[in-house]
Amino acid sequence: MKQFKRFIERDGSGYVVLMAEESEDMWHIYNLIRVGDIIKASTIRKVVSETSTGTTSSQRVHTMLTVSVESIDFDPGAEELHLKGRNIEENDIVKLGAYHTIDLEPQRKFTLQKTEWDSIDIERLNTALDPAQAADVAAVVLHEGLANVCLITPAMTLTRAKIDMPIPRKRKGFTSQHEKGLEKFYEAVSVAFMRHVNLQIVKCVIVASRGFVKDSFMEHLIAHADANGKKFTAEQRAKFMLTHSSSGFKHALKEVLETPQVAARLADTKAQGEVKALNQFLELMSTEPDRAFYGYNHVSRANQELAIETLLVADSLFRADNVETRRKYVKLVESVREQNGKVHIFSSMHVSGEQLAQLTGCAAILRFPMPDLDDEPMDDDE
């Protein structure tokens, strides 16, 4: 996603000028735009003109329209977002108040204006603007003297650092220069890795090389982290996967990702945090039901008692047409985070999100049992 301008007042009102660059960006835009928002974008309108003799002709012309959104239709396959609403600014071609549909797609610039940009909107916008925040997987492909440190998102591979250093040849009786060159190279790659890879976010790290270069680098990386007070925990070490690659060039990463063992590992890491939280919730419903509740009323009451350890929320709740419905879930998320609780926002495009939606889209794992919550009535729609 590319941002050209952002202007948001202290009261939350304001606008941003954006352009989607990838298919994944269209999903973020779909989650940002709601009924009542104002969209300004270039569009095509058919204009019919009549001559003095009574004959008519039509032509398609480009015009800039400002529309108050009344309906939203997203087509993930075509990567298009269809926004229907009334024109709210004077225009030579389209009458004030006339209906028009604006189609948003990648590489089309537009302005999105809201009366209120809440914390969930800002969080999603910042995530879309910095793809590294959404990277589930990091990778280091290397051979002696060349390494690429990459972050892999669902839509793209981002090269965060390229290290290219000459390594003295290994000669009989003179191996010290070769060893020093390698140490210097491993140190440079380790520094780049620690700077660009956040092991709190990344769920899997692939280290690939030919021969034993990957093993030597891994030993150096662990020592580097220890020496700089950033010792890897057992959980972080378990994220690393060592495998073979033909070289340290970036294109070698493609063949690494296609190997069966790596593909299987990546399938497990995708949305791993959300899946793990949902499985834990479902298991608690069977074993400790007084620590697992769903439905806004139950979850909100648990939050009032500072009892929520993990909150599970479907992103569809933040697309609600009812402003008050959205606000109450935004406040719930903010409150749980203030109390140092974990929050997982599930995508409705993922199977785990669909499963959560069947449980009202809102669930919580509690820090301690609350058997009295069963007496709390649920909402009518729940």
Side-chain angles (χ1 to χ4, degrees), residues 126-286:
N126 291 337
T127 298
L129 293 172
D130 183 7
Q133 293 187 25
D136 279 341
V137 180
V140 182
V141 284
L142 69 165
H143 62 241
E144 290 185 359
L146 177 67
N148 279 278
V149 179
C150 304
L151 293 175
I152 303 168
T153 75
M156 64 191 102
T157 299
L158 307 162
T159 302
R160 279 292 178 247
K162 181 179 180 181
I163 296 89
D164 193 353
M165 296 173 61
I167 306 291
R169 285 189 177 183
K170 199 172 190 178
R171 293 174 181 167
K172 191 174 181 181
F174 297 94
T175 60
S176 61
Q177 291 301 314
H178 176 75
E179 296 299 331
K180 285 180 182 177
L182 275 180
E183 282 295 306
K184 191 177 178 182
F185 169 65
Y186 291 147
E187 179 65 15
V189 182
S190 297
V191 169
F193 179 89
M194 298 301 291
R195 182 184 300 140
H196 296 290
V197 178
N198 185 344
L199 287 172
Q200 303 298 324
I201 297 175
V202 167
K203 301 183 180 79
C204 177
V205 182
I206 299 164
V207 181
S209 76
R210 56 193 182 204
F212 295 101
V213 175
K214 57 185 179 295
D215 304 276
S216 300
F217 165 68
M218 196 65 213
E219 288 175 12
H220 191 101
L221 178 63
I222 292 170
H224 173 87
D226 288 350
N228 288 274
K230 298 178 180 178
K231 188 173 181 178
F232 294 156
T233 63
E235 183 183 356
Q236 289 174 335
R237 287 196 187 200
K239 293 180 179 182
F240 286 85
M241 179 182 186
L242 275 58
T243 188
H244 172 80
S245 71
S246 58
S247 72
F249 293 102
K250 184 183 174 182
H251 63 74
L253 185 57
K254 184 176 182 292
E255 65 191 50
V256 171
L257 297 175
E258 289 173 350
T259 59
Q261 63 269 32
V262 174
R265 176 71 179 267
L266 294 190
D268 291 338
T269 63
K270 192 176 182 182
Q272 187 186 49
E274 287 79 6
V275 172
K276 186 178 179 181
L278 183 59
N279 288 340
Q280 184 185 358
F281 173 81
L282 295 173
E283 185 178 339
L284 283 172
M285 282 187 71
S286 301

Side-chain angles (χ1 to χ4, degrees), residues 22-213:
E22 303 284 341
S23 57
E24 192 178 346
D25 293 339
M26 295 304 299
W27 174 248
H28 288 304
I29 292 170
Y30 170 53
N31 280 279
L32 280 172
I33 298 175
R34 294 188 299 281
V35 171
D37 290 349
I38 294 170
I39 293 290
K40 185 174 184 178
S42 172
T43 185
I44 298 173
R45 182 84 173 191
K46 187 168 82 170
V47 177
V48 179
S49 55
E50 186 175 343
T51 64
S52 56
T53 59
T55 59
T56 59
S57 62
S58 65
Q59 58 179 335
R60 297 169 71 83
V61 295
H62 285 270
T63 185
M64 186 67 74
L65 278 188
T66 305
V67 167
S68 177
V69 178
E70 293 187 11
S71 69
I72 304 165
D73 180 35
F74 180 50
D75 184 351
E79 298 177 9
E80 284 187 353
L81 192 57
H82 310 289
L83 308 170
K84 186 178 180 181
R86 291 179 183 271
N87 178 35
I88 61 169
E89 281 191 6
E90 288 287 350
N91 189 286
D92 295 335
I93 297 170
V94 182
K95 292 180 181 178
L96 198 66
Y99 275 103
H100 188 83
T101 299
I102 291 180
D103 295 328
L104 296 182
E105 58 190 5
Q107 309 306 322
R108 178 168 291 189
K109 190 175 173 182
F110 68 95
T111 301
L112 170 59
Q113 184 177 334
K114 290 175 174 288
T115 54
E116 182 185 6
W117 286 84
D118 57 43
S119 61
I120 300 295
D121 286 330
I122 299 297
E123 182 181 321
R124 183 172 285 277
L125 178 61
N126 291 337
T127 298
L129 293 172
D130 183 7
Q133 293 187 25
D136 279 341
V137 180
V140 182
V141 284
L142 69 165
H143 62 241
E144 290 185 359
L146 177 67
N148 279 278
V149 179
C150 304
L151 293 175
I152 303 168
T153 75
M156 64 191 102
T157 299
L158 307 162
T159 302
R160 279 292 178 247
K162 181 179 180 181
I163 296 89
D164 193 353
M165 296 173 61
I167 306 291
R169 285 189 177 183
K170 199 172 190 178
R171 293 174 181 167
K172 191 174 181 181
F174 297 94
T175 60
S176 61
Q177 291 301 314
H178 176 75
E179 296 299 331
K180 285 180 182 177
L182 275 180
E183 282 295 306
K184 191 177 178 182
F185 169 65
Y186 291 147
E187 179 65 15
V189 182
S190 297
V191 169
F193 179 89
M194 298 301 291
R195 182 184 300 140
H196 296 290
V197 178
N198 185 344
L199 287 172
Q200 303 298 324
I201 297 175
V202 167
K203 301 183 180 79
C204 177
V205 182
I206 299 164
V207 181
S209 76
R210 56 193 182 204
F212 295 101
V213 175

